[in-house]
Amino acid sequence: MEGEKLILDKYIELSRDMGGKASIEGDTVHIIVPSEKLVEAASKLFNEYQCDFRVCVGTDERPLNGYFTITHIFTDNRNGLYVLLKTYIEPQDPKVPSITNAVPGADWCEMEARDLLGIEFTGRTPYRLVLPPEWPKGLHPLRKDVPYNYRPQIRGVSEKVSTTTETGVIPIGPYHPALHEPEYFELYVEGEKVVDVKYRGFHVHRGIEKLGETRMTYQQVNFLAERICGICGFEHSSCYALAVEKAAKLDVPERAQFIRSIVLEVERIHSHLLWLGVAFHVLGYDTGFMHVWRIRERVMYLAELLTGSRKTYGINLIGGVRRDINEEKKQKTLEVLRELEKEYKGLIEVALSVPQVRKRASGTGVLPREDALKLSVEGPTARASGIDKDARRDLPYAAYKYASFRVPVYTEGDNLARLLVRVDELVESMAIIEQLLDKIPKGPILLEKYEIPEGRVGVQVVEAPRGGDVHFVITGHGKPYRWRVRAPTYSNIPALRVMLRDQPLADAPLTIASIDPCFSCTDRVLIVRENGRREWLRLTGGLKI
Amino acid sequence: MEKKLERIKRSIWVFHLNTGSCNACDIEILDALTPYHDAERFGVKLVGSPRHADVLLLTGPITLESLPKVINAIEATPRPRFIIALGSCGSGGGIWHDTYSTIGGVNSLVKILKERGVEVDGVYYVPGCPIRPEALLYAVALIRGLVEKKAKSMVATVE
């Protein structure tokens, strides 16, 4: 192990080599480099220092300093550090070199910045990602001079399935029984084999980031963040609150952090059970689906007991939480957990010995480790491909440093591995709740007085059931100046192309479900196409994998 | 409307139409159909195509991207067709009522449908963020005439 000083020196040296400057604040290293050195610096961080690429953030900082900026967020998982690589872009004709050749995972977020802020990326093929077809050219909703409620008059265009004679095309979606959310996949098949996949998403772009930067206040954004996703909403609101607390250097009461962690784990249990049910349904094992959802109902009541709501808990605030866990609730929780564990173990033993489950899941939808690393995939998808990463352990937040738990890792990379990772994680989650309930300290649950200075940067990764959520906040006057959300599905969808290729068509729904896609998180932002011309989105936008 | 209701109310087949929802209402719909709440005892069945459906469960604010597809799905539903607008977002646009990429809730959708000559025979509102499965069961019971309507509807306009 390198000493802490040596690690930080490494990053300072990097910035000096690139003609930039570095500063360190808490666990975050800020590196500012000139734009011509951006690719070299990103490549060095990703390939040589083996930092994990999370997302890039475009910001309109013209009202502050007259520039657009782009910040690439990396995390150094082995040393628990956040590394932000920032560059300034001239406001007239904003152009910046693309890092996708060095870091393939940056494909989508660059195109998102192009759509929403009008930043052009050189050295790559651009395409529309987020905004709907017919969106007026030159209108970039995240620019500070565009009002949040400006609705352009556009005619709705429905895309038609393309006609090609060489390969058969199977459209899946946007409304399809196997998908619970509107997303459109187009599978190209030769016989029974899938040869290529195209994806048109972002049907659920609702403009959350813009809303958080305009109409809301700091505390209101907590509740808005919870509505990013109905399944892992609490992860988002915790992530936002932790990012703001980090930016403002607030000392949040320990008890609040414990309650956050406990509720986060309750959410993970319900989300994984939900996924297991849906996976069994897709496999054709409906008995399993019904039974899993039956025992999941216990968790929903547990959530209601602890927070007051079955879903969308609304207990997070900056500086703490709104609801305490008293002795009675603690006992009740432990009781429910015991029953749940018993029922779950019995059920999963039966479900995993059903031959069709094992047969259909093993060997299908394989994601090799190299591809997973290149595309910076997240969560159980990464852990099933042999990448040992979990933000709860690597970048400890809330009260996870007080719990001991195992991070299940499988190396097969197939659908069964992704299933088993979740099966194991569920047991760990129950153990975490028990440990934390046992160790919960006494004290207040909410910070009464605090100030949030302007212009500070906070970035936080929270391990959601699907992988790492990333929230990036620049503080402003009474509300965030810039708030960027990255959900794990955003990183995982590009990996679907690798998983689906050369697989039988019948396995496609299971493979799509196996990353536990959550499109409403992914699509917060929006996409446009010009002149109603069809411009297919490719999953990895022309990148060679 | 009474008469049209008569034609569908024996066993209501529903199609789940997510127009840009956050998933919370959507998983509660699934929850209502699984053993604990078991909406199937009222004859409710989730179907895979709008062509088989009597009622569309509309969740979420209608986003610009999904709008044309939502209209297609509603057009494909045979008459008489009803919409149950679920959650705050479905009922009135919720927190997104005036953002740049949505058109708001079911009211704005019905207006657009009228302009295009697509008729909807009735809209039921189930508010809540998210809805509880019990609320969905109540809406179904209301259609079937098993319970009395408790709330009155009022239209408020802001100048």
Side-chain angles (χ1 to χ4, degrees):
Chain A
M1 278 299 282
E2 301 159 274
E4 196 177 326
K5 194 145 188 304
L6 275 173
I7 299 156
L8 294 174
D9 282 349
K10 196 169 78 174
Y11 290 111
I12 292 166
E13 201 179 303
L14 170 88
S15 71
R16 209 182 302 129
D17 289 351
M18 300 293 159
K21 52 183 179 184
S23 58
I24 294 146
E25 244 177 272
D27 58 357
T28 315
V29 184
H30 300 264
I31 302 175
I32 300 173
V33 293
S35 68
E36 59 273 13
K37 288 281 185 189
L38 188 69
V39 179
E40 203 182 319
S43 166
K44 203 162 183 190
L45 281 173
F46 188 67
N47 296 319
E48 200 174 307
Y49 295 173
Q50 300 193 341
C51 287
D52 197 2
F53 179 76
R54 298 284 181 169
V55 74
C56 64
V57 188
T59 312
D60 178 5
E61 291 192 18
R62 286 176 302 168
L64 297 180
N65 49 30
Y67 291 98
F68 283 106
T69 61
I70 188 113
T71 312
H72 293 282
I73 301 175
F74 292 86
T75 55
D76 185 344
N77 289 345
R78 278 169 304 171
N79 304 308
L81 284 175
Y82 293 84
V83 184
L84 307 186
L85 185 65
K86 184 174 177 179
T87 189
Y88 288 96
I89 307 165
E90 289 298 327
Q92 280 86 31
D93 191 22
K95 269 202 180 98
V96 71
S98 161
I99 64 161
T100 45
N101 288 328
V103 188
D107 179 30
W108 272 24
C109 60
E110 286 190 349
M111 286 302 94
E112 193 179 315
R114 177 178 176 266
D115 275 0
L116 299 178
L117 286 152
I119 299 170
E120 289 295 333
F121 290 85
T122 53
R124 58 163 298 166
T125 343
Y127 56 87
R128 294 247 169 152
L129 183 72
V130 190
L131 298 168
E134 310 253 307
W135 186 269
K137 217 176 170 184
L139 178 67
H140 303 290
L142 273 188
R143 287 192 176 185
K144 291 289 174 191
D145 45 12
V146 179
Y148 78 94
N149 54 2
Y150 176 71
R151 281 182 186 161
Q153 284 297 320
I154 58 169
R155 194 165 50 88
V157 184
S158 192
E159 288 139 307
K160 292 261 171 10
V161 179
S162 56
T163 46
T164 155
T165 45
E166 287 154 33
T167 49
V169 181
I170 312 255
I172 297 186
Y175 295 106
H176 187 269
L179 305 169
H180 297 291
E181 288 172 85
E183 298 299 303
Y184 182 52
F185 290 90
E186 204 164 79
L187 305 182
Y188 292 77
V189 290
E190 270 169 15
E192 274 289 295
K193 285 254 181 293
V194 177
V195 288
D196 205 358
V197 190
K198 285 174 183 177
Y199 166 76
R200 173 77 183 110
F202 297 88
H203 288 73
V204 198
H205 178 85
R206 291 157 293 176
I208 291 183
E209 285 173 13
K210 186 74 180 177
L211 202 55
E213 292 165 17
T214 49
R215 209 176 72 192
M216 302 278 168
T217 64
Y218 274 123
Q219 292 295 28
Q220 286 173 338
V221 175
N222 281 302
F223 303 99
L224 181 66
E226 200 139 17
R227 279 151 184 86
I228 290 171
C229 175
I231 301 173
C232 50
F234 194 75
E235 264 83 2
H236 282 288
S237 72
S238 301
C239 198
Y240 164 76
L242 288 163
V244 174
E245 284 155 10
K246 194 188 272 184
K249 297 200 173 75
L250 300 184
D251 199 10
V252 180
E254 284 278 277
R255 191 175 174 86
Q257 299 284 34
F258 269 77
I259 294 173
R260 273 183 193 162
S261 293
I262 291 166
V263 179
L264 283 172
E265 289 310 310
V266 170
E267 194 154 67
R268 189 183 317 277
I269 293 176
H270 107 74
S271 174
H272 278 352
L273 283 175
L274 179 149
W275 181 84
L276 275 175
V278 173
F280 289 151
H281 173 64
V282 175
L283 282 167
Y285 178 47
D286 258 352
T287 319
F289 167 54
M290 290 294 176
H291 276 294
V292 171
W293 278 66
R294 176 178 56 79
I295 65 169
R296 177 178 169 272
E297 202 57 29
R298 282 189 195 283
V299 190
M300 302 306 277
Y301 278 93
L302 183 61
E304 193 172 0
L305 174 83
L306 292 176
T307 67
S309 312
R310 287 166 58 87
K311 268 311 316 141
T312 314
Y313 309 135
I315 64 163
N316 251 333
L317 285 178
I318 289 163
V321 292
R322 293 168 65 213
R323 255 172 200 259
D324 205 351
I325 296 177
N326 60 20
E327 199 56 36
E328 190 194 333
K329 284 183 187 172
K330 195 171 142 182
Q331 292 312 325
K332 185 92 188 141
T333 308
L334 290 172
E335 212 173 283
V336 173
L337 277 180
R338 265 193 295 273
E339 282 170 36
L340 181 72
E341 197 169 351
K342 212 172 92 197
E343 271 191 289
Y344 171 71
K345 281 189 173 155
L347 174 60
I348 215 69
E349 203 187 319
V350 175
L352 289 182
S353 59
V354 173
Q356 80 211 47
V357 171
R358 278 203 180 260
K359 262 197 187 149
R360 283 203 58 194
S362 53
T364 56
V366 177
L367 178 67
R369 185 166 192 270
E370 298 73 48
D371 290 330
L373 273 176
K374 253 186 216 161
L375 292 167
S376 314
V377 299
E378 292 276 0
T381 315
R383 290 195 280 275
S385 292
I387 301 173
D388 189 6
K389 71 171 186 187
D390 188 327
R392 290 177 293 173
R393 182 197 58 199
D394 302 332
L395 308 155
Y397 53 90
Y400 284 112
K401 54 176 180 261
Y402 299 107
S404 71
F405 56 94
R406 194 174 65 88
V407 177
V409 178
Y410 287 79
T411 49
E412 291 86 351
D414 58 359
N415 288 331
L416 186 68
R418 286 189 280 277
L419 193 144
L420 291 176
V421 165
R422 293 188 175 96
V423 165
D424 292 359
E425 265 180 25
L426 260 166
V427 183
E428 295 297 321
S429 288
M430 290 181 219
I432 292 174
I433 298 177
E434 275 175 28
Q435 288 175 36
L436 292 178
L437 275 176
D438 191 41
K439 287 183 194 164
I440 192 164
K442 288 207 163 49
I445 56 165
L446 190 60
L447 204 60
E448 290 296 331
K449 274 192 189 138
Y450 58 85
E451 261 176 43
I452 301 172
E454 286 180 45
R456 297 277 188 81
V457 177
V459 55
Q460 181 68 41
V461 178
V462 161
E463 188 74 18
R466 290 157 187 77
D469 278 339
V470 185
H471 281 228
F472 171 90
V473 175
I474 301 178
T475 57
H477 184 66
K479 58 187 168 229
Y481 179 79
R482 177 78 172 97
W483 173 41
R484 172 73 163 96
V485 183
R486 203 287 323 259
T489 309
Y490 198 84
S491 310
N492 288 343
I493 289 179
L496 273 180
R497 195 182 198 195
V498 184
M499 296 183 203
L500 288 170
R501 205 184 285 151
D502 297 331
Q503 292 279 333
L505 182 63
D507 292 328
L510 174 66
T511 307
I512 292 174
S514 76
I515 64 162
D516 199 357
C518 181
F519 297 114
S520 74
C521 314
T522 309
D523 299 2
R524 318 132 286 112
V525 209
L526 122 126
I527 297 193
V528 202
R529 235 155 298 140
E530 293 148 52
N531 333 321
R533 195 160 55 91
R534 271 191 309 119
E535 199 176 281
W536 282 113
L537 287 179
R538 281 169 296 174
L539 277 171
T540 43
L543 284 172
K544 298 271 180 303
I545 310 172
Chain B
M1 184 167 160
E2 293 288 300
K3 216 171 166 189
K4 284 169 184 161
L5 213 51
E6 207 55 47
R7 282 169 57 187
I8 64 155
K9 80 183 205 186
R10 248 168 240 197
S11 63
I12 304 158
W13 283 16
V14 296
F15 178 72
H16 174 199
L17 191 63
N18 178 332
T19 60
S21 151
C22 75
N23 273 349
C25 293
D26 311 56
I27 58 172
E28 296 292 43
I29 291 174
L30 271 185
D31 218 32
L33 293 164
T34 47
Y36 203 91
H37 297 282
D38 194 16
E40 283 194 20
R41 67 197 142 128
F42 300 113
V44 177
K45 192 181 166 205
L46 195 65
V47 291
S49 160
R51 290 183 205 284
H52 301 159
D54 303 308
V55 171
L56 296 165
L57 300 177
L58 189 142
T59 58
I62 295 101
T63 60
L64 293 177
E65 178 72 40
S66 69
L67 178 64
K69 294 137 201 175
V70 169
I71 293 173
N72 285 354
I74 294 176
E75 267 181 325
T77 317
R79 297 283 298 275
R81 53 183 163 228
F82 292 84
I83 292 179
I84 301 183
L86 295 170
S88 311
C89 304
S91 312
I95 203 163
W96 329 103
H97 68 99
D98 60 352
T99 57
Y100 62 90
S101 60
T102 69
I103 62 161
V106 71
N107 285 342
S108 350
L109 177 67
V110 170
K111 252 184 237 160
I112 292 175
L113 287 175
K114 257 199 194 128
E115 278 167 24
R116 301 201 178 189
V118 183
E119 275 190 51
V120 177
D121 295 299
V123 181
Y124 287 80
Y125 296 88
V126 184
C129 187
I131 56 150
R132 295 179 68 95
E134 290 92 334
L136 180 59
L137 293 183
Y138 187 81
V140 169
L142 202 64
I143 295 179
R144 296 213 40 188
L146 300 175
V147 288
E148 293 271 306
K149 192 173 166 184
K150 281 183 193 159
K152 255 199 315 202
S153 68
M154 242 169 65
V155 179
T157 44
V158 183
E159 289 302 316

